[in-house]
Every structure is written in structure tokens, then in C-alpha cells.
Amino acid sequence: MSLRSDDPILFQVLTSSFTSIVDEMGALIQRVAFSLVVSEGRDYCGTICTRDGALVTSGTTDLPAHLGTHPYTVRGMLEWAGSEPEEYLRPGDIAIMNDAYIGGTHNHDVRVIMPVYFGSSIAAFVVNSSHWTDVGGHVPGTFDPSAKSSHGEGLIIPPCHLVKEGQINEELVGLILRNVRVSNETYGDMLAQIGAVRLAEQRLQELRQSYGEKVVLSAMTEVIAYSESLLRTEFERLPDGVWETEAFADSDPGIAGSPPVAMRMTLTIEGGRAIYDLSRSGPQAKGAINAPVSCTVSAALVATKCVFSHVPMNQGVFNAIEFRFPSEPSVVNAEYPAPISGMAAAVFPGIVNCVLNAYVHVVPERCMAGPTGLTNITWGGVDPRSDRNQDYVCYLWLEGGWGGRPAAKDNHTAMTLFATSATNQPVELHERTAPLIFDCYRLEPDSGGAGASRGSNGVTRRWHVSHGDAVLSCLGSGQIYGPWGFDGGKDAPPNRFVYAPDTEDETNIGMFVTGFEVAEDRVLEYRQAGGGGWGEPLTRPVEWVLEDVIDGYVTMDGALRDYGVVIVADGDKLHVDERATAERRLDRLRNA
Amino acid sequence: MSCGSRRPTSNARRWRVGVDTGGTFTDLVATDGSELRVAKVLSTPPDYERGVLDAIQSAHVEIPEIDVLAHGTTVATNAVIVRGGAKAALLTTSGFRDVLELRRHNRGELYDLLWDPPKPVVRRRDRFEIRERVDYTGSVLQPLETADVEEAVERATNRGSESFAVVFLHSYTNADHEHQARAIIERLRPDAYVYCSSDLLREPGEFERTSTVAINAYLGPIVARYLEALRGALADAKFGGQLFVMHSGGGLLTAETAVRVPARLVASGPAAGAMAVEREFSSNALARSPAAEEDGAANVISVDIGGTSADIAVIREGSARMVNEFSAEFGSPIRFPAVDLTSIGAGGGSIASVDAGGLPSVGPRSAGANPGPAAYGRGGTEPCVTDANVVLGRLSEDTPLAGGGVVLHTDLATEAVARFADRAHLDLNDAALGIIEIANGNMARAIRLVTVERGLDPRTFSLVAFGGAGGLHAAELAERLEMSRVLIPIAPGVTSALGCLYVDIAHDAAEAYLKPLAECRPDDLMRIFDRLATHVSALLDLDDVAAEARELEYFLDLRYLGQRRALTLPLRPGDLDDGFADRARNQFLRQYELQFHYAATDIPIEIATLRARGRNIADHDVSLAGVATRLDDSTASSSLPSVRSVVTKHGPTEATIHDRQDLRPTTSVSGPAIVREYDSTTWIPPGWKANVDDVGNLVLERLDVESGQHETEPPSMNEEAP
């Protein structure tokens, strides 16, 4: 017997309640957190996990990148504790940790974990991870491509009791806050996380009171089995085959002049099994682009979920996929103490692209051409504006385009694929919080990969520090490789980060920058790539290209260069030179 | 058609009138304090004002005798949904013309690669960058380049723009540049509508502000033209009263104000419906679900099924959920307070079709009022939900809709459904049942989204169904959701119009304070509150609200220093004495811990904002309770046949026919049965029975309610209906 077959409505009520509890956690965090990164940028994730650490549910507004790591967090914590869960965490206790090697992402993403007791035993754990603006280290914002080990990447917190029987562990909090910049906002964010897991714990207790312990626990395990069977059914419908893909990080920032670093995946579909074999990936990097297994798996799951979007995201998705890793430590299964803070700019998008690029050959109708990656830019200093004179740290993650799609469906998204719930930090709030002025924040013309279906445009930000000097770091990638085009579509132009553009000091500062000194009022310009194109650009309808040019998504030069469309201006009006266009397109097709 | 008593109106009477214009019907409720009249007529798109006058005329209310006309309208909603708004231009700070399109970047579906964000209401080509810049303190970094504004106006004019949205960065702290730009636009384009963000929404957050202002510009000319036409038509008929428009927050605006904030009308009618249900049912014992706890206020799912859409609201513990931001669609926020509503394209006019693969679907396309369903005989040939109801015998030629305004044609409905049946390879009855099933399924899914998906169990709620088609679908909809009680209010066809009569005029004012609570001086606060009170009082003066009918309320927004969002606490003026700061601190900490599950005593508390709200405490004694008897004497009934052939899921059978005013609390009707009334028809399927409660609501209950936690005491049912 199962709850799902006996009372499908109740099953649905409960599984939806789990999701809604996580959404409530998210709403609370967003409402009361102090930092711009968390309250406006929504760089947080909540989950419910079983007492064994199996993922039960995520919310509808939580950061996809984090959630696949939460099972590792719970299991890593229990292993670290080395005792029965009930001995380690008592009712009312809350643990805190950020150690990437005990089940995390990078040290910024600090996790709090609370047990949910049904009677005398733990029924589940509620988890929240939030990105702290700064976790110490030698540069503001902590991102440091020059770090030689994870000890150079800020404070490492192994599992500790943040709250013991309802009382906050003041000494621990004091230790943590002494080790981070902007400790006021960090304290506020930490308290918000405590509030969030307490809320979720209370909501689960209410569910137990309404429906009984057994029913709630059944719903948790059954929803996992349900997802697994749904996904396995999907795999059964796919043709058997083997597909090999790869993606690259620009270089190993720990080795001068290093070649690109590869992430490689072999997707095998065989009689309803799916094997993700990453064992041909490049060796562990000396610089901070590595990922522990938890991150790599999380990235693969996010991308898989995009291809099979109707399958509820929980441990069942993990269970349906067989992972293979290199036998030696590598960039995708780094070992302590390899530096990892740039994983979200390197391995994460790399694995996402490997998975998408494999499935695009299997089920193209559900996929798209290459999406943009992620770049972490942080800077900080002292804010000398009249009422402040305190430390500040800014963290920008940059938004770029998504790939063109089948059936000539253009893309209009500007966001990182594995952070689709994250939001930008409003310019106005940023300028209130820190001494900076944005000069522009706009879609960049010609930045989408050309194609029958165009990749969406990338985004350009220009800004300058308005008061005082600042120290800037950048951990990105994608300066060499732009997002990939598919089926004749073109790659999008890559990322670009320039200091003092259009002056004689203009410098391309690249994607791996540590402690770069930024002078007051000198402009920084960052262009995050658009998405790759899908399908031969010369087949894009001429009138679509004209509309693109009228709107400025594509320039007149771009229309000619990428699409063979000749557009002429007549005052304010633009029109297509049909004849010249036909000739040019024919010529190009002949020469192709 | 009116169904109030038809006494002559020689001695001057003073009426309050609520009119709700939907996509298909225009509904009216009028009261003079002793009598209540209802009317339902067809809407008259695109000239919706004609329908309003038709409704007034139909109720035999003399227009010069109207004191107050409160109006819910679909004009704005419709324009957003079908992207039928005005051609608008957006002027932004140089470097930021894409704020509207970049949005906040987040996606409605995190993992669905085929999901698309909404198209911006102002295209990129119509967004113009103006050189100017102000910082967060309001200091000017770059003066406004007036030539840029002039050039933008010229280019926008060449493109045919008739309205302008002006949104400059940090204008909430210094509005000069926006106002200068406005002056230039008004000089060059005296005919245009101009919306400045600093006049509409003085808060940081450029995207939400831009979206709100752009939607206002998109709607301004549409709403203005409509209200002008309405006022003109009313003036021609010697209207001397006040005209109010219902806004999405469940309050009223004067027509003048409405043109200044047209985006507030986007959920005008649906908000009115939800407010009516909230007022009528919050203390009704039957609105407490049989499965809910014994005490407590109503838990109600309100569903308004009209001609084009079904609007759903959840009323928990007596109150409709309010939200700070309303979106007609994901990613197009309107940052004004609103009732939390969900709307789907399912109603009597929803069109049934069969796709290339042979799969049938219903809606969201609607035949609207014109031509309307095939059965209306107004030239429509596509099969609609109403046509299916006619084929199944739930509606028939002998029960005209809208109080006799629309006569139904069984032959035309049958022809239309038969064509659908052919394409779907079904027989006629199965096709008609299928259309109803699909429409009910769509509505059930939408209700699940706002209950089950938020962790609420619909079985612990009652369903209140209204709108012209509410009663036809309510019971089967409830069955799908395993709900066991349905309430159909009196005059269900005009519930939203009634809602317009219930609500208040309300004005809000706020001022940022941004000082630590511990350092605040009560005198300072008092001075600011006085200023706010003066401001809202002036607005109430404009609305002619009498001094004795006013109520002023005060609020304080508190937060931890460094936080972005605040808790709003109510405040009485007498609270501002020496002990104020300590009391406020304690109240904040208590409330904060309750809501957020922690409270820190080592972070200073900041007073963020002071607020005042002034409203009229109007005479709301317009409840329909007890009106049933007054409706009695006006509706002839006795000549109707008492049984009719109908088709249910189990095949053809006979249903008894009843007139609603014949039902008494002691009467019970078992399904299959049909209850008819002036403005609506209720279908009672087999397995259900119905009676009326002591205030006249029609109460439908399932006969086969399971035992256990869903068990209920059946209401008193002593005799079977004749």
C-alpha cells in the first residue's frame, strides 16, 4: 500500500506542503536578511532532507546550484559528528558549517541545519544555505584566484553548534564575526537563517499534528521514489547510445600560462540506465577553479532537471543517475585542501554545458544552445560617505544570455542557468549601500550568438567607485570560450572585463584577478556573454533581422556580417535592401 | 431587467449604485437604503460605457437620483492580457533603457527551458535614454540634457506614442529631473499622458518602479478614454453624483485619481468580488468548513465564474489575502497593494476546440459578449461552455440569462457542439459532458495552485461560487476538489457589483524617518504624523467625505538597523509620550519573534517610515441578507415546468426545476435538480442536495460525505421539495 495510491489528494497536499514550507523559509530570509546579496539577490537555498540526508524537496524560489549539495551537507555533518543524529543534535539545536569538503559549495555558502524531532527521534532535517558577502581571507569578498588551498579562501567552519537547546552559542558567533568583514550584515543574515529553519521545523510539526507522523514520513519517502521512477521512465524512452561532450575553463589560475582545463562527460543511455561518466576530466587545478564532488553532482542535476523539467527535484533524481568520477583527484572531484572558491565560475557551468550538450543530441526539442556561465566580481574598502565610514564589500554575479532554441524560438533570458531564482541587486539599492555609481546596465548589441534562433543578448555593466579606493577580485572564466552554438548556429562572443575603458590606461584585467587596486572614479566595464545561436543564421527570416536591428539587439553591421542582411537607413526609418540581401545570402551559402 | 419592486420614482430617491463590467456581462446592484435592485445586461465592448447605462436603465434607477456610482471595470485588465494597451514611450536615465526588459532576471519556471519571460509593455525601440543623473542622496551628478528629452519626444511622436513614462534613477529622493522632463513633454505634447515615477511610487528599486510606471503609461490613454466616455454618457443623462472606480486593493478611487494611477485598475472587478465574499461570509457559520475546527472565522475559496474568466481568491480566517504587489502576469509587477487573486481563462464563453492531434481543449479563447456562445443567437458559431450546458439541459430556452436579456437557442447550441463532437469523434452528449469536464478541470487546477500548492487543504474550505456561471459549475468543481460544501450567495450573478458598494475610499501617505528608535523624539514624530494627517485629509476633502465619516489611522515601520524591510505596527496618537520608545521596542521584539522565530536584543532598532491612512467609514448597510423576501414579489414563477430532461455523467435523466425564492431553510432539494433565479442558474448534480440558510444563501452539500474527519452534521432538512 502506498499513500500515493490510497489517497492521491493527500499525497499531493503533503508534497506541496513540503515545497511550500521551503518557500516560506525563502520568503522569511528574503524579508529579514541584511545583506544585499541575500535579501535582494536571493542567493540562498532551503531544503528538507530525511534523517538520512536524502533530499525531499526544494522550493520554487531557491537557488538551484545549492540544492544538490544539501544531502552531502547533512551526511557530511553526521559523519563528522561520528555519533547517532539524536546524540549530536537535540531538539532546539541548530548546527552551522561551510566546509566544502564536508558537503558544500564554496566557503561563502554557509549552511545551518536543524533537526525535526517526531517524538524521541529525528524525522528530518531542515537546511538553509546562504551566500555570505565575505567570509574573511585576504581580499574583500574572499574570492581569490591566487589561493593555494582552501585555507586561503576564508574561514572554514566545520559542523558546530550554533544554537544549543534554543540558546545561541555566543562564543562561536563571536569567533565567526571576528573573522569576516561587514560583520553587522553577516550577523543579520545568520540570524535570518536561524529564523528560517525554526519556521520550517515548526511547520513540519504542524503537518505531523494534522496528518500524523506515519503519513508525513510516507509522503517524504514516496515522493523520492516517485521522482526516481518518473526519471527512469524518461530514460527508458530515450534511444540507447553514447554521447561524449566537453567544456573548458579558460586556464588554471594557479599556473602561469596554463592551457585550458577540461571537463569531460560521456553520457551513456542503456536500457533505461543513464550513466554520467566524468572520468576523463582534467586533473585537479592548482588555482581556485576546482569543485568537490558535491558541487559537480549538483551541477549535473540542475542541468538534467532542465531537460526533464516535470520531474520533481529530490533525491530520486540523484538515484536515477549513475555517476563515474576520475580515480585520482581532479577538477571535478577535488580533494582537501585544493582551493575551490571559483567552482561556480568554472566547473559548475562546465558540467551544466556537458550535460546540455549531450542531451541536445538526444532530445534536441527539449534543449537549447549554450548558455552563459557565471562570473564572481567582488570589491571593497572603506565607505567614507558622511554617515558611514565603515567597511563595505560588494559582490556582483553577472547575468548573460541563454542559447537559441529549436523551432526558431528566440531566447529572451538573461541569467545564469543554475541560478535562475537569483535576482539582480537593484542599482539604486547598491548605490545606497556602497560608494559606487553605475554608468550603465544594459543589453549588449550583437552579443547573442547568431542563428536561425538567436541566443539572447549578453549584459554590460559599467561602474566606478565614487568615494575612496577599493580592492577588487574576479573569479570567472569564459574569456576564451563563448557559449556554444548548435546546428549551424554561432558561438556567442566571450566575456570581457576592462579597467578604464576608452582611456590610455585601458587594461583588459581578465577573469582571474586578485587584489586589483581600483582608483576612485576609474571606470570598470564588464560584458557577460550572450547565449549561443541555434541553426544557420542565413536562414533567419529577413524581417526578424530587421526587427532586431530596429530594436538594437543587432547592429546594422551585425546584420550584414552575421545574417547577410543588408539594412539601409532612411532618416529615422530602416528598411531591408531585398535584392542586395538575396545576393549576399546566396553568395554566402554557395561559399559555405 | 430589474427584479426589485417597481414603484414609481416620482418623489426623489437617492441611490448608491455598484456596477461591475466584465468581459461578457455588466452587473448592477443599487440601493436607496430600503430597497435593493439588481440587474444584469450584456457588456458592450469596445464601448463598455453603454453597458453601464444599459444596466442602470434596466434596473429602472433614475440617473439624476444617483448619489454614488461605484464601478469595477475590466478595461485595464483586458488591455494588459491581450497586449492591447496604448503606444507608450519610456524615458530612462542614460545607460538604463533595458531595466524594463532585464527585469530582476529571475524566471517563473526555474527549469523549463521553453518558458519565456513576458514581452515588455514598451518595446526597446520605444525606450529612450536621457542624459541626467542623481545620486542616492538626491544630489545632481549630471544635469538634465533637455535636448535629449526634446529629441526623444520627437522620435516617440513620429512613432505614434500617445503616452510617456518617465523613470530616472533615484527620483524617489529628488524628483526635479523627472518633473523637468514632464514639463518639456507637456509643452511639446499637450495631448499626451505623462507618468513620472516620483509621482507614483517613491521607493528605491528601479525595476519595480519602472514596471509600475510603464504599465500606467500603457493603460493611461485606455482608461482615460473609457472614463471620459462614461462620464460623458452619464452627464448626458444628468448624472450629478460621484463616480468611483474600484481598485485592485479592494478600495475606491475617484475617476480623476484613477486616470493618474490606471494600473491600479488591473484587478478591479475581481477585487470587488473577493471583497463582497469577505464581507458577506467572514462571520457566516456555514462558511466554516465542516472539516475545519469548530471556532474561527470563515475559510473560503471564492470563485467568480463569468463569461470569459474564473477569478479565484482564498479567504482564510475571514480575511482575503493581500499582497504588496500585483502582477497580471509573472515578471510585470505593479507595485501597488492588491487583493491576492488568480485568474484563468475559463467561463461560460470559453471556446471548445480540437487540435490537429484530435485532443480537445477549452479556453482560454472566449467568445465574450459579442458574438457570445452560439446559443445566444448573435452570430456565434463556435461551441462554448454555455452551449454545452444548454445541450445537457442545465440551461434551457425557458430560462433566459441575465434576467431575460439573453434568450437561449437550443438548436444553435446543439449545432455548435455537434461540430465539435464530430471533430473529437464523440457523440453529442459525451462531447458536451467533455467540454464541462475540461473546463472544470482547468478551474480545479487553478484552485489547487492557490491551496494545495501553498499547503492548504481545500477540503477544509467551503467553496463560495458566484458570477453568472458560478452555480452551474460549483458542485462538480467541489467534487473534483473533494470539497463537501458549496455556498451560492443571493443574486450570485452580481456579487462583484455588490462588492463595489461595500468598500471604502481610502488614502495613504507615508514619510521616511530613518533614525534609531532609541534616539527619536516623540515631538518630532507627532509633527510628521500631523503633516501626514493633513495630507490625507486634503484628499478626503477632494472626495467630499464628511468630517464625521472619517477615520484616521497611524502606523510605524520598525526594523533592525541595517535591514531592508520593516514591520508595520499600528500606533495611537496618545502613544507618543515619554515611555513611547520602550513600549515600541517591546512591541517590535514581541511581534518580530512571533513572525520570524528569533529576536536580537543587541541590534539597534530603526524607525524606517511613518504612515497614515484616512478613510471614510461609509454606511455599508447594503447586505443582501434578508433581501430574498423583497425579491419574491417581483419574479413571476408558477407557470414553469417542474421537471426537465438533463444529461449527467450517468446518462439522461430528469431533473426537478426550482425557483430560488421558493426555497426555504426548511426545504431541501435533491439532485439532479436545477435552481433558477434572475441572474444565475445553479446545477445540483446527483449526490448533492441543497437548501437555503437563514439569510438566503443557497447551501449545497454532498450526500456521500465520507466518515472520519470530513464528517458533518447535516443542516436541518425536514421536507423534500415538491
Side-chain angles (χ1 to χ4, degrees), chain A residues 349-367:
Chain A
I351 294 295
V352 162
N353 277 305
C354 281
V355 173
L356 267 185
N357 198 301
Y359 280 112
V360 81
H361 294 96
V362 188
V363 277
E365 69 279 5
R366 295 191 199 169
C367 296

Side-chain angles (χ1 to χ4, degrees), chain B residues 357-649:
Chain B
L359 280 179
S361 65
V362 177
R365 220 155 53 82
S366 165
N370 223 338
Y376 286 15
R378 300 161 72 102
T381 54
E382 294 191 274
C384 298
V385 170
T386 297
D387 297 316
N389 274 311
V390 171
V391 167
L392 298 175
R394 297 169 191 186
L395 290 172
S396 91
E397 291 183 354
D398 59 32
T399 6
L401 299 184
V406 178
V407 176
L408 296 170
H409 302 267
T410 308
D411 51 341
L412 296 176
T414 307
E415 279 171 31
V417 175
R419 276 194 297 277
F420 168 85
D422 278 352
R423 288 198 295 275
H425 305 292
L426 293 168
D427 75 25
L428 182 70
N429 285 346
D430 284 346
L433 285 167
I435 291 171
I436 303 292
E437 287 246 324
I438 293 170
N440 287 344
N442 292 345
M443 287 185 262
R445 255 195 307 283
I447 290 175
R448 279 201 193 95
L449 276 178
V450 295
T451 53
V452 172
E453 305 239 326
R454 290 180 187 166
L456 304 175
D457 186 342
R459 291 177 292 200
T460 62
F461 285 73
S462 293
L463 185 69
V464 174
F466 57 97
L472 281 170
H473 296 268
E476 288 175 343
L477 185 55
E479 246 169 49
R480 280 177 168 268
L481 294 158
E482 295 189 30
M483 298 170 75
S484 50
R485 183 180 286 146
V486 173
L487 296 159
I488 314 281
I490 295 163
V494 296
T495 304
S496 293
L498 178 68
C500 294
L501 285 187
Y502 273 133
V503 300
D504 300 314
I505 298 169
H507 293 291
D508 297 285
E511 194 168 317
Y513 187 70
L514 303 177
K515 291 196 181 78
L517 175 64
E519 295 166 23
C520 84
R521 302 203 8 216
D523 292 358
D524 272 0
L525 298 180
M526 199 57 149
R527 219 172 31 250
I528 297 171
F529 276 124
D530 282 346
R531 195 152 64 219
L532 294 172
T534 309
H535 181 78
V536 294
S537 297
L539 292 170
L540 292 171
D541 288 346
L542 281 177
D543 294 339
D544 285 336
V545 175
E548 62 275 14
R550 292 178 186 190
E551 186 178 76
L552 284 173
E553 298 164 290
Y554 301 94
F555 305 91
L556 201 58
D557 283 7
L558 297 178
R559 64 187 176 195
Y560 285 120
L561 189 66
Q563 234 168 2
R564 293 171 196 286
R565 296 175 181 86
L567 265 185
T568 299
L569 301 174
L571 187 83
R572 291 180 312 252
D575 290 344
L576 289 172
D577 56 16
D578 290 342
F580 157 74
D582 283 342
R583 280 201 312 277
R585 180 171 189 275
N586 290 336
Q587 202 188 347
F588 170 80
L589 291 175
R590 222 173 23 246
Q591 190 62 39
Y592 193 97
E593 177 147 27
L594 210 62
Q595 218 170 322
F596 303 121
H597 301 265
Y598 73 94
T601 50
D602 54 354
I603 309 178
I605 296 165
E606 181 185 49
I607 301 179
T609 308
L610 310 183
R611 300 179 185 278
R613 162 175 298 171
R615 55 188 196 98
N616 75 322
I617 32 177
D619 170 19
H620 288 312
D621 192 20
V622 290
S623 168
L624 285 181
V627 162
T629 49
R630 283 203 294 270
L631 296 175
D632 277 356
D633 49 44
S634 63
T635 319
S637 62
S638 52
S639 63
L640 297 164
S642 61
V643 290
R644 186 198 293 160
S645 297
V646 294
V647 180
T648 74
K649 275 180 280 191

Side-chain angles (χ1 to χ4, degrees), chain B residues 339-350:
Chain B
V339 177
D340 192 8
L341 290 156
T342 301
S343 188
I344 63 159
S350 294

Side-chain angles (χ1 to χ4, degrees), chain A residues 16 30-32 39-40 198 202 385 405 409 413-414 424 427-428 431 438 441 443 547 551 553, chain B residues 95 98 101 104-105 107 113 116 124-125 133 136 170 205-206 209 452 563-566 597 602:
Chain A
S16 302
Q30 198 199 349
R31 175 102 196 260
V32 301
S39 69
E40 291 294 336
R198 281 178 174 166
Q202 186 183 316
R385 296 180 298 179
R405 292 178 293 186
K409 203 166 184 286
T413 287
N424 57 7
V427 166
E428 289 175 339
E431 292 183 0
F438 282 95
Y441 172 35
L443 293 166
E547 294 293 311
D551 275 321
Y553 299 117
Chain B
D98 291 324
E101 184 165 347
R104 297 298 300 278
H105 289 306
R107 292 170 56 83
L113 300 181
D116 281 315
R124 195 166 196 260
R125 62 191 68 174
R133 191 67 149 88
Y136 78 106
H170 298 299
E206 65 276 4
R209 213 165 70 244
V452 172
Q563 234 168 2
R564 293 171 196 286
R565 296 175 181 86
H597 301 265
D602 54 354

Side-chain angles (χ1 to χ4, degrees), chain A residues 7 9-10 12-13 16-17 20 28 30-36 39-40 42 59-62 64 67 187-188 191-192 194-195 198-199 202 211 302 305-306 309 313 356 365-368 385 387-388 399 402 405 409-415 417 420-429 431-433 437-443 459 547 550-553 572, chain B residues 94-99 101-117 120 123-127 129 133-137 141 155 158-159 168-173 203-209 448 452-460 480-482 514 560-568 592-593 595-600 602-603 709:
Chain A
D7 192 345
I9 294 257
L10 181 56
Q12 206 192 351
V13 165
S16 302
S17 295
S20 140
L28 186 150
Q30 198 199 349
R31 175 102 196 260
V32 301
F34 281 42
S35 74
L36 206 54
S39 69
E40 291 294 336
R42 295 178 26 178
T60 59
T61 58
D62 293 83
L67 66 92
Y187 182 42
L191 291 173
I194 291 175
R198 281 178 174 166
L199 170 75
Q202 186 183 316
Y211 300 102
V302 168
K305 166 85 177 161
C306 287
S309 62
M313 183 58 137
L356 267 185
E365 69 279 5
R366 295 191 199 169
C367 296
M368 65 178 184
R385 296 180 298 179
D387 50 338
R388 317 246 168 139
E399 309 85 3
W402 281 23
R405 292 178 293 186
K409 203 166 184 286
D410 283 344
N411 217 326
H412 301 280
T413 287
M415 185 33 94
L417 182 124
T420 42
S421 66
T423 44
N424 57 7
Q425 301 163 65
V427 166
E428 289 175 339
L429 292 177
E431 292 183 0
R432 295 182 71 82
T433 316
I437 298 285
F438 282 95
D439 303 305
C440 88
Y441 172 35
R442 61 152 198 257
L443 293 166
V459 174
E547 294 293 311
I550 292 173
D551 275 321
Y553 299 117
D572 223 9
Chain B
S94 176
F96 297 90
R97 79 160 157 166
D98 291 324
V99 162
E101 184 165 347
L102 290 166
R103 304 174 296 113
R104 297 298 300 278
H105 289 306
N106 54 326
R107 292 170 56 83
E109 294 293 335
L110 299 190
Y111 302 97
D112 181 357
L113 300 181
L114 298 179
W115 183 87
D116 281 315
R123 291 195 294 183
R124 195 166 196 260
R125 62 191 68 174
D126 296 320
R127 307 195 295 253
E129 299 197 340
R133 191 67 149 88
V134 166
D135 75 6
Y136 78 106
T137 64
L141 301 178
R155 289 175 57 199
N158 290 340
R159 288 195 174 287
F168 294 155
L169 289 179
H170 298 299
S171 62
Y172 58 89
T173 178
E203 64 177 51
E206 65 276 4
F207 168 66
E208 286 79 3
R209 213 165 70 244
R448 279 201 193 95
V452 172
E453 305 239 326
R454 290 180 187 166
L456 304 175
D457 186 342
R459 291 177 292 200
T460 62
R480 280 177 168 268
L481 294 158
E482 295 189 30
L514 303 177
Y560 285 120
L561 189 66
Q563 234 168 2
R564 293 171 196 286
R565 296 175 181 86
L567 265 185
T568 299
Y592 193 97
E593 177 147 27
Q595 218 170 322
F596 303 121
H597 301 265
Y598 73 94
D602 54 354
I603 309 178
Q709 62 170 331

Side-chain angles (χ1 to χ4, degrees), chain A residues 263-277:
Chain A
M263 285 135 278
R264 295 196 178 88
M265 176 169 125
T266 304
L267 168 68
T268 303
I269 302 284
E270 194 179 75
R273 290 169 69 203
I275 302 162
Y276 291 11
D277 184 348

